[in-house]
């Protein structure tokens, strides 16, 4: 189901992509978004929430959508069941095209934002036209990537919680869904936005709580699907941003190791490479992309 969308751009569209998420988690996220949008003031009237569902069976029916609208009665909510898994970037590209706005807020459905998060992100982008994308601070596990303490400038922004200037998003044709299916597309998007002349920034005062699985050492414990896409995105980023030595190093590591997820990632990467559908590697990699071991940009710890 999808509501009619006015072609006239609104100020803000909040985009949420689902894949077999618990309805209770989606409702909790929406309740937090409602409180945060209340801080936006008069601009709340020019805000829309667009939900795209990549689940094989839609997880939201009329009853659930009505419940979400009760949580957020003053903000239009559209819900589109894609009947196919478009992937993270593919789904967000579809939503951004169908819901024109000046700013695009991407929030994962397991993220609970603080009441001041959205207004802080909006204030930053509206005050600085050179910033194309900004992300918030993840809790309880803060991402360790480096950022300038005064300006917030950083290498890339996380797709868990980020606000993007629509002109920047569309100028680089959004996420590269042909290269990335689940992970790594946020790094690539940030680098392409920076390559096009905008800045990427981090806002440590824009908070978002995200449920994550952690082990005894507090390290995140990925499942096999996540391990596959982490490995594939590492290969893809190295290829698209011109680090041939790293591509060879990673392929050797994955194909000679015992992790079946990494082996399948290497196979998937080779198939995409042979398909001829990938874009050409960036011409100005050194000025934008930053590979620091297995990290994309330096880490604070």
């Amino acid at each position: 189901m999808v509501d009619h969308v006015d072609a006239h751009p609104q100020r803000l569209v909040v985009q949420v992509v689902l894949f077999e998420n618990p309805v209770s988690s989606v409702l909790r996220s929406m309740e937090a978004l409602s409180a945060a949008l209340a801080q936006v003031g008069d601009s709340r009237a020019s805000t829309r929430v667009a939900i795209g569902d990549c689940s094989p069976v839609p997880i939201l029916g009329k009853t659930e959508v009505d419940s979400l609208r009760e949580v957020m009665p003053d903000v239009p909510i559209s819900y589109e069941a894609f009947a196919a898994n478009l992937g993270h970037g593919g789904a967000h590209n579809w939503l951004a095209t169908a819901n024109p706005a000046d700013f695009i807020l991407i929030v994962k459905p397991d993220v609970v934002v603080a009441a001041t998060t959205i207004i802080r992100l909006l204030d930053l982008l509206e005050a600085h036209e050179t910033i194309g994308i900004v992300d918030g601070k993840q809790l309880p596990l803060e991402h360790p990537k480096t950022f300038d303490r005064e300006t917030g400038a950083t290498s890339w922004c996380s797709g868990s919680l980020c606000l993007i200037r629509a002109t920047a998003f569309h100028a680089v044709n959004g996420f590269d869904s042909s290269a990335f299916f689940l992970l790594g597309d946020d790094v690539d998007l940030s680098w392409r936005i920076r390559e096009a002349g905008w800045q990427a920034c981090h806002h440590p005062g824009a908070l978002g709580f995200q449920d994550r699985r952690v082990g005894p050492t507090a390290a995140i414990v990925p499942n096999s699907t996540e391990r596959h896409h982490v490995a594939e995105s590492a290969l893809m980023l190295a290829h698209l941003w011109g680090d041939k030595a790293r591509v060879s190093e990673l392929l050797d590591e994955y194909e000679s190791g015992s992790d079946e997820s990494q082996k399948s990632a290497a196979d998937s990467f080779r198939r995409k490479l042979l398909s001829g559908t990938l874009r050409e590697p960036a011409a100005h990699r050194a000025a934008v992309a930053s590979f620091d071991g297995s990290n994309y940009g330096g880490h604070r710890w």
Side-chain angles (χ1 to χ4, degrees):
M1 69 182 74
V2 62
D3 295 340
H4 170 72
V5 177
D6 191 340
H8 181 71
Q10 295 180 298
R11 184 191 187 203
L12 173 69
V13 58
V14 181
Q15 296 186 180
V16 181
V17 172
L18 309 179
F19 184 78
E20 298 186 331
N21 302 91
V23 175
S24 59
S25 175
V26 178
L27 183 60
R28 181 177 65 168
S29 180
M30 287 294 167
E31 289 172 342
L33 282 170
S34 180
L37 287 173
Q39 303 295 317
V40 177
D42 293 340
S43 297
R44 183 184 175 94
S46 59
T47 297
R48 184 178 190 87
V49 174
I51 304 172
D53 193 347
C54 288
S55 308
V57 177
I59 66 171
L60 301 182
K62 183 179 184 303
T63 300
E64 290 79 15
V65 174
D66 287 345
S67 296
L68 296 181
R69 288 174 175 151
E70 289 176 5
V71 169
M72 209 175 297
D74 300 328
V75 178
I77 298 177
S78 63
Y79 173 68
E80 174 73 12
F82 295 122
N85 190 351
L86 305 184
H88 177 265
H92 277 296
N93 288 346
W94 191 99
L95 292 174
T97 300
N99 298 274
D102 298 324
F103 301 100
I104 301 165
L105 179 67
I106 291 179
V107 185
K108 285 191 174 179
D110 61 348
V111 169
V112 179
V113 300
T116 57
T117 290
I118 297 177
I119 190 63
R120 286 180 174 180
L121 294 175
L122 276 171
D123 283 350
L124 182 65
L125 256 63
E126 291 192 316
H128 301 279
E129 294 184 358
T130 59
I131 299 176
I133 181 170
V134 57
D135 66 358
K137 179 178 179 179
Q138 299 174 26
L139 299 172
L141 299 178
E142 181 182 359
H143 197 285
K145 63 186 176 70
T146 57
F147 63 92
D148 187 285
R149 297 286 181 174
E150 294 185 4
T151 66
T154 190
S155 176
W156 60 278
C157 295
S158 170
S160 293
L161 170 61
C162 65
L163 183 68
I164 311 169
R165 191 180 303 278
T167 50
F169 184 84
H170 294 297
V172 300
N173 297 315
F175 289 103
D176 187 347
S177 58
S178 64
F180 302 90
F181 186 76
L182 182 60
L183 300 172
D185 56 357
D186 49 2
V187 180
D188 179 70
L189 175 68
S190 300
W191 286 354
R192 286 185 290 117
I193 286 175
R194 289 178 53 217
E195 186 181 37
W198 284 277
Q199 289 179 296
C201 289
H202 174 70
H203 195 321
L207 307 178
F209 173 86
Q210 184 177 20
D211 283 339
R212 304 300 296 270
R213 296 176 302 279
V214 296
T217 63
I220 296 172
V221 180
N223 58 34
S224 60
T225 299
E226 290 169 332
R227 289 199 305 274
H228 169 99
H229 289 292
V230 165
E232 185 178 354
S233 68
L235 285 164
M236 197 62 69
L237 285 165
H239 168 70
L240 293 175
W241 292 91
D243 195 333
K244 294 181 180 180
R246 178 149 180 78
V247 172
S248 297
E249 175 187 308
L250 289 173
L251 284 173
D252 288 344
E253 176 187 342
Y254 296 162
E255 292 175 334
S256 64
S258 59
D259 190 325
E260 293 302 320
S261 297
Q262 292 181 339
K263 289 180 183 292
S264 66
D267 181 62
S268 177
F269 169 75
R270 288 191 184 278
R271 282 188 276 109
K272 287 183 178 180
L273 203 58
L274 291 172
S275 70
T277 60
L278 298 178
R279 71 178 198 265
E280 291 296 316
H284 307 291
R285 178 188 72 82
V288 177
S290 177
F291 295 96
D292 183 6
S294 61
N295 302 321
Y296 308 114
H299 276 193
R300 304 195 304 283
W301 61 82

